[in-house]
Amino acid sequence: MAWVFMDLEMKPVDKQFRRRWDLCRQEVIEFGAVKLGEDLREVDSFQALVKPAYGEIPPRYARLTGITNDMVADAAGFETVLKDFAAWCEDAETVYAWSGSDLDQLRGEVRMKELDFPLDRLADKWADFQKIFTQAVGLKRELSLEQAVNIADISFEGHQHDALWDARNTAELYRIYRDEGRFNAVIGPLREAVNPKKQPSFTLADALGDALKGLNLPEA
């Protein structure tokens, strides 16, 4: 039994390809994933850059992801990497991503690029861990990966917007989620602040500090 945690990095489809842009506004430039065994330790990883088909990587996206046009010049295309990734996931019970947007991206890009690739087997295993984790915390508004890491009181490993490192940090949140004692220790005070049994003497902002910055949540 294995669980996969994956992430994608994308760049926008150049608007000169207007008909393609109307179908899907981004294309994948990196796949990253880790596979956990039954003891929840990492047993394998998958990382592949993808050569975009519709325009170059804009400077802003290169700065954000660390992926340059030179780096993807000799990379495989989307169809090849998607097939490799799907084959790598064959033994996984569940494929987790942080939000449902990555599966939407794969579906949109398959359609845009007119690929004859059945996503059903991969989609049937798909789960939105952002939604699962946010609900477990007791919040209604979904957390970013960075906010979830902050709430869980762990340090973000590696670099944000690196697909493999984002996947690894998602996997670490899953380990915390699966460890009832650890989860209750780090998340319990937050859940009490969000859904107090009696009127608290402190605010949600006091409890969380900067972890939920930008969420505009009401005080409990």
Side-chain angles (χ1 to χ4, degrees):
M1 186 179 297
W3 294 270
V4 164
F5 294 81
M6 65 85 64
D7 185 68
L8 302 173
E9 295 301 327
M10 283 91 73
K11 68 90 177 167
V13 172
D14 196 303
K15 289 187 180 180
Q16 66 174 304
F17 303 98
R18 184 72 200 199
R19 191 171 75 84
R20 302 296 180 182
W21 186 83
D22 286 341
L23 292 172
C24 186
R25 299 190 177 184
Q26 299 186 94
E27 56 182 334
V28 176
I29 56 174
E30 184 184 26
F31 280 73
V34 294
K35 188 178 292 182
L36 305 187
E38 292 189 18
D39 60 359
L40 302 187
R41 294 186 181 185
E42 183 177 325
V43 296
D44 201 1
S45 63
F46 181 99
Q47 184 177 35
L49 296 177
V50 182
K51 184 175 182 177
Y54 303 118
E56 295 189 337
I57 301 171
R60 184 168 76 88
Y61 285 79
R63 290 193 296 270
L64 184 69
T65 64
I67 302 170
T68 66
N69 289 297
D70 287 344
M71 291 168 64
V72 298
D74 296 321
F78 173 76
E79 182 176 17
T80 297
V81 179
L82 176 58
K83 287 179 178 178
D84 290 345
F85 175 69
W88 184 79
C89 291
E90 274 295 319
D91 65 338
E93 177 177 296
T94 309
V95 178
Y96 290 100
W98 193 261
S99 87
S101 61
D102 285 338
L103 181 58
D104 291 341
Q105 174 63 34
L106 295 181
R107 285 172 168 156
E109 197 160 344
V110 165
R111 182 174 61 251
M112 174 180 66
K113 294 181 175 177
E114 300 176 347
L115 303 179
D116 183 19
F117 184 84
L119 272 174
D120 291 349
R121 290 187 67 180
L122 191 59
D124 287 346
K125 300 179 178 184
W126 208 273
D128 179 353
F129 191 60
Q130 180 189 49
K131 183 177 182 179
I132 293 169
F133 188 85
T134 300
Q135 289 179 344
V137 171
L139 297 171
K140 293 181 179 179
R141 189 167 178 179
E142 292 177 338
L143 298 162
S144 70
L145 180 58
E146 181 184 11
Q147 289 167 335
V149 166
N150 288 341
I151 284 172
D153 196 27
I154 58 176
S155 298
F156 195 101
E157 290 190 53
H159 304 287
Q160 293 183 51
H161 304 295
D162 175 298
L164 183 57
W165 280 113
D166 283 354
R168 282 196 169 119
N169 282 278
T170 303
E172 181 60 21
L173 289 172
Y174 181 77
R175 293 187 188 97
I176 294 171
Y177 170 77
R178 285 284 301 271
D179 184 334
E180 184 176 359
R182 186 180 178 192
F183 185 82
N184 287 335
V186 297
I187 303 300
L190 170 58
R191 283 190 296 193
E192 175 62 22
V194 174
N195 299 297
K197 295 178 181 178
K198 60 182 181 179
Q199 187 64 31
S201 60
F202 56 88
T203 68
L204 184 57
D206 292 332
L208 303 182
D210 292 332
L212 295 183
K213 187 179 292 183
L215 280 184
N216 297 319
L217 292 171
E219 293 183 0

